[in-house]
Amino acid sequence: MVSRVIPVDPFDLVVFGGTGDLARRKILPGLYRRFRDGQIPETAQIIGAARSDMDAAAYRKQVAAALGEFLPARLLDKTRVQAFLDRIAYVKIDATGTGGWTDLKGKMRTGHVQVFYFSVAPGLFGGIAERLHKYKIAREGARIVAEKPFGNDLETARALNETLARYFGEHQIYRIDHYLGKETVQNLMAVRFGNMLFEPLWKNQYIDHVQITVAETVGVGGRGTYYDKSGAMRDMVQNHLMQLLCLTAMEPPSRFEPDAVRDEKLKVIRALEPVREGDIVRGQYLAGEVGGEATPSYLADVENAASLTESFVAMKVHVANWRWNGTPFYLRTGKRMKSRLSEIVVRFKEPPHSIFDEDTGQSANELRIRLQPNEGMDLSVTIKEPGPGGMRLMNVPLDMTFAEALGEEATDVPDAYERLIMDVIRGNQTLFMRGDEVEAAWAWTDPIISSWEAREARPAEYETGSTGPEEALILMHRDGRRWRELEA
Ligand code: BG6
């Protein structure tokens, strides 16, 4: 495979929450992979910062263990792992006090890109930003990365934006939505704006509706306390699903540049109509079985028998502008569903007049953009069924599964986090959310959430391993449409 890896500039990257789950599962393994591929220079420095009292050697041991746990053995070449660990330092830090900040300052080198990754609870963001400023650790041009959740509603997101703005300019703030780092999400833009084929048809005149599904088989076990305060709407819809909706619905930006892209996404969010009560279904999963093992119900997982929080949501959304008037977007996401599948389905309209007999088997074209698993796209087209028997039609997929089309090159595509961290180091904000975008997303979801809270309605129940509550199927059926099967 021809390497197209372009090394980034030497950097100092501080991971606040360096011993936390996200650092162990995603950030550190991702950095190792980029290092192994030669994208991270040998002079880079990664500094774990956390509350635990330990030295660099002990931290490196933890990092080594995380690599072993979250990366396939074939990637763990001994000398590369050691070289990576040599790049790692540790600082015990008190995010809300005075301890550790001068140590951290001492580790910063001049002439290196500075990145501060806030992989901690959002309540700590402000205090960390303030101290980076107060102890004169962050230089001009330093970048901070803010993990989700970015606020819990419009008010908290606004407050967070204001706090960060006291110490950092918008061009220094990278709000992560890891869905934007997924290969296929970027491919959606490539397909829409790099071809002549789709864009002329990308409108209400030719598209019947769009479906966006992010289904998971996992439950919320282990994250119950956080999740029960969020629910699917805050955890998934306000960020990941809305970003997918924006990229699908936005107007072509004039350039593939941060503000050009983000301006267009923002216009979509601002064009979203308030969702009618009857156009939303909420659900909670019941106890069930996954792979032969009994699994608890949502209520048991969050240890709150009275919880009214949703682990599933399906909704019909309208983008009120010329392009999309009359073409609904159906969104659904849930835990403990039948399969793990994220995809965008663009269903085209039937031809305006059929010249074939009604029972010949003609059906509408569908473009299916799969984010995971089996990243790729297929477009169903109607053809004549081969052979004798008259004019019988069938639908066949024009399939572009990346793994098949690109072979070996597709098997090692960077994980979303790897790509996004490299973008931060390169100083490219295109795939990060701007402050006004996050606020606009909350401004749209807030009234929906508050009306649920005011009504104290219990979400519908659904079976583990299902496609969600019956009501979600009805949401489509009553419009004469159906969800695409949940199969990878
Ligand atoms: C996170 C949510 O942002 O995304 C999780 O907090 C969810 O609840 C996860 O499981 C899904 O990400 P992915 O990349 O596995 O689809």
Side-chain angles (χ1 to χ4, degrees):
M1 159 176 165
V2 188
S3 172
R4 285 185 219 105
V5 171
I6 303 167
V8 293
D9 290 337
F11 60 83
D12 286 334
L13 166 65
V14 182
V15 185
F16 291 102
T19 54
D21 189 54
L22 184 72
R24 286 169 26 79
R25 267 186 315 116
K26 294 287 182 188
I27 304 173
L28 294 159
L31 285 165
Y32 168 73
R33 282 179 39 133
R34 295 296 91 226
F35 180 77
R36 181 179 169 274
D37 281 359
Q39 192 162 16
I40 293 184
E42 305 282 336
T43 53
Q45 179 182 217
I46 297 156
I47 305 168
R51 267 177 309 195
S52 316
D53 193 4
M54 65 178 139
D55 59 11
Y59 183 60
R60 286 188 192 127
K61 257 195 201 145
Q62 283 198 9
V63 176
L67 300 187
E69 193 176 340
F70 297 106
L71 287 174
R74 72 185 160 81
L75 298 182
L76 297 173
D77 173 66
K78 245 187 165 168
T79 45
R80 290 313 284 157
V81 171
Q82 191 50 52
F84 178 70
L85 295 177
D86 289 345
R87 310 304 336 133
I88 291 188
Y90 181 77
V91 178
K92 171 179 161 28
I93 208 126
D94 180 359
T96 51
T98 52
W101 294 95
T102 1
D103 291 351
L104 181 59
K105 182 169 180 171
K107 293 211 177 328
M108 294 282 127
R109 303 164 302 171
T110 47
H112 288 70
V113 173
Q114 274 188 322
V115 177
F116 300 97
Y117 199 127
F118 295 7
S119 175
V120 291
L124 297 174
F125 288 6
I128 296 178
E130 184 197 338
R131 285 167 179 76
L132 289 174
H133 176 77
K134 180 171 149 194
Y135 289 91
K136 300 195 170 35
I137 299 171
R139 294 188 303 269
E140 236 186 282
R143 289 148 210 171
I144 60 171
V145 183
E147 257 303 327
K148 75 173 269 258
F150 198 88
N152 197 44
D153 53 19
L154 176 58
E155 199 185 321
T156 47
R158 212 175 250 162
L160 199 48
N161 274 335
E162 281 166 11
T163 309
L164 295 181
R166 261 182 241 143
Y167 312 105
F168 295 94
E170 181 62 35
H171 65 286
Q172 296 178 284
I173 305 174
Y174 290 70
R175 296 175 194 78
I176 280 214
D177 183 317
H178 79 279
Y179 264 60
L180 290 178
K182 290 189 190 267
E183 183 73 14
T184 320
V185 171
Q186 293 165 77
N187 212 353
L188 172 59
M189 287 187 273
V191 165
R192 278 194 65 190
F193 307 127
N195 295 289
M196 195 52 210
L197 202 56
F198 296 107
E199 205 44 33
L201 304 179
W202 211 258
K203 54 171 83 149
N204 52 6
Q205 204 180 337
Y206 302 107
I207 294 180
D208 178 70
H209 73 277
V210 176
Q211 301 181 13
I212 301 179
T213 296
V214 178
E216 298 182 278
T217 50
V218 292
V220 303
R223 300 166 73 218
T225 319
Y226 150 77
Y227 194 92
D228 205 34
K229 286 198 211 98
S230 305
M233 191 70 182
R234 288 189 172 102
D235 185 52
M236 298 295 285
V237 177
Q238 187 273 346
N239 37 78
H240 306 326
L241 276 90
M242 282 185 76
Q243 288 295 324
L244 299 182
L245 166 68
C246 284
L247 295 174
T248 311
M250 73 183 184
E251 295 301 315
S254 57
R255 295 198 58 77
F256 188 60
E257 278 173 3
D259 280 334
V261 171
R262 299 187 299 178
D263 285 347
E264 295 308 335
K265 286 198 292 164
L266 181 62
K267 283 188 211 159
V268 175
I269 302 177
R270 290 195 172 145
L272 292 177
E273 278 183 4
V275 182
R276 283 190 294 264
E277 205 179 298
D279 286 347
I280 306 194
V281 175
R282 303 167 74 221
Q284 268 180 358
Y285 57 81
L286 295 168
E289 214 186 88
V290 174
E293 300 246 328
T295 54
S297 66
Y298 175 77
L299 297 178
D301 262 343
V302 298
E303 296 175 8
N304 174 9
S307 172
L308 300 177
T309 305
E310 75 288 349
S311 60
F312 173 97
V313 61
M315 61 208 299
K316 178 173 156 184
V317 174
H318 295 281
V319 184
N321 61 19
W322 275 47
R323 188 188 279 263
W324 295 115
N325 182 42
T327 295
F329 287 70
Y330 296 89
L331 316 183
R332 69 173 162 170
T333 182
K335 306 269 185 205
R336 284 272 184 254
M337 293 178 68
K338 189 174 160 198
S339 36
R340 177 171 185 256
L341 174 72
S342 300
E343 68 176 13
I344 301 168
V345 176
V346 179
R347 174 93 181 177
F348 289 88
K349 292 189 171 169
E350 308 268 344
H353 163 72
S354 178
I355 63 168
F356 305 108
D357 292 342
E358 258 173 39
D359 56 359
T360 48
Q362 181 176 0
S363 68
N365 303 109
E366 220 169 62
L367 175 67
R368 186 180 177 207
I369 302 150
R370 282 188 315 275
L371 277 67
Q372 58 198 25
N374 308 328
E375 303 189 316
M377 294 193 194
D378 65 61
L379 173 68
S380 71
V381 288
T382 300
I383 60 162
K384 178 191 168 299
E385 219 177 283
M391 192 53 149
R392 284 172 295 117
L393 304 179
M394 66 189 288
N395 252 37
V396 290
L398 285 181
D399 193 345
M400 219 202 78
T401 305
F402 298 160
E404 281 165 24
L406 306 176
E408 203 192 318
E409 289 192 35
T411 56
D412 263 338
V413 281
D415 169 81
Y417 274 94
E418 294 172 38
R419 183 190 319 272
L420 293 174
I421 296 171
M422 292 304 102
D423 276 357
V424 178
I425 296 164
R426 281 189 284 250
N428 184 342
Q429 287 186 309
T430 311
L431 299 175
F432 294 83
M433 290 178 296
R434 212 167 50 192
D436 51 2
E437 211 183 325
V438 179
E439 288 184 16
W442 281 122
W444 183 72
T445 46
D446 268 6
I448 301 174
I449 298 171
S450 5
S451 91
W452 291 340
E453 286 172 355
R455 274 185 294 130
E456 296 189 354
R458 176 156 287 289
E461 294 173 339
Y462 64 96
E463 301 287 337
T464 282
S466 70
T467 55
E470 275 286 309
E471 289 83 343
L473 304 180
I474 297 169
L475 180 76
M476 285 283 241
H477 287 176
R478 58 167 207 214
D479 293 345
R481 300 178 173 118
R482 51 193 302 198
W483 295 103
R484 198 172 159 130
E485 280 299 312
L486 269 189
E487 56 201 3

